[in-house]
Amino acid sequence: MTKPQPLIAGNWKMNGLGASLGEARAIAAGLGATSARVALCPPAVLIHRMSEALKDSAVLVGGQDNHWDDTGAFTGDTSAAMLADAGAGMVILGHSERRAGYRETDDIVARKTLATLRAGLEPIVCVGETLEQRKAGEALAVVTGQVRGSLPADLAGKAFSVAYEPVWAIGTGLTPTTPEIEEVHRAIRATLVEMFGEAGKGVAILYGGSVKPSNAAEILHADEVGGALVGGASLKAEDFLGIIRAV
Ligand code: 13P
């Protein structure tokens, strides 16, 4: 199994209006030659316009969540097929902001992942421990438990990635040390191989949490780090391009 192609994905979270498409265009224009796949995941209402704006570029567009059902009486929700129809090619699932803020359990994330697959989209499934869990020495158990519980067996043979995002590193400016990142990424890799056999070696394991141009090279070159899921720094073309150039 060859090493997975790196993926640098930007998670805009609940940020961005039509006027922000200029940043997306600037990212596409500045991309140049890169060995990485690059994606931007804007709010759902911007997916269609962003995918139109980026259609002649190599930048992929993704969603930030989808419902576990395909259609129905779920006021305010968005299905994976709707994201695909709007132009998305991938979806972030199980982000800690959804696990904590909307009580998404591993089981819900797994059901959402199945819906993503039914729509033909590529899931990026997020896992990560809280600071309390890390201090209690539970980081590896929590993260590998989330991997086992959130990834359905149907992912076998499908393109997907896992993003390790320590909750305490998101939006805080704090990052784990490189050995700490490597320890968790190796544990995720071992779990993926347990679950999916040899194919588990081909899954990109992204790191997320306060990635910026100044720390990107060290993080991206760490063992078993196959890319980054970037929040704040993906909102500014210059910063996001700086991260992509560090691959
Ligand atoms: P920051 O890069 O803003 O810390 O956010 C990380 C994240 O949550 C990406 O999904």
Side-chain angles (χ1 to χ4, degrees), residues 194-245:
E194 250 174 56
M195 294 174 74
F196 300 103
E198 193 66 10
K201 295 184 185 165
V203 176
I205 306 171
L206 318 183
Y207 169 80
S210 298
V211 179
K212 47 193 180 210
S214 59
N215 63 16
E218 176 161 357
I219 292 172
L220 290 169
H221 293 124
D223 189 36
E224 294 291 8
V225 174
L229 185 54
V230 184
S234 70
L235 292 165
K236 288 211 186 87
E238 204 183 311
D239 289 348
F240 197 50
L241 288 169
I243 293 168
I244 294 163
R245 289 190 193 113

Side-chain angles (χ1 to χ4, degrees), residues 11 13 95 165 169-171 209-210 229-232:
N11 175 8
K13 308 191 180 185
H95 192 283
E165 299 205 306
I170 294 175
S210 298
L229 185 54
V230 184

Side-chain angles (χ1 to χ4, degrees), residues 5-48:
Q5 187 181 6
L7 171 62
I8 307 294
N11 175 8
W12 278 18
K13 308 191 180 185
M14 199 173 72
N15 297 293
L17 299 169
S20 322
L21 292 173
E23 289 302 316
R25 284 193 198 90
I27 289 165
L31 198 56
T34 171
S35 60
R37 291 195 302 153
V38 174
L40 284 174
C41 303
V45 290
L46 277 183
I47 289 175
H48 182 62

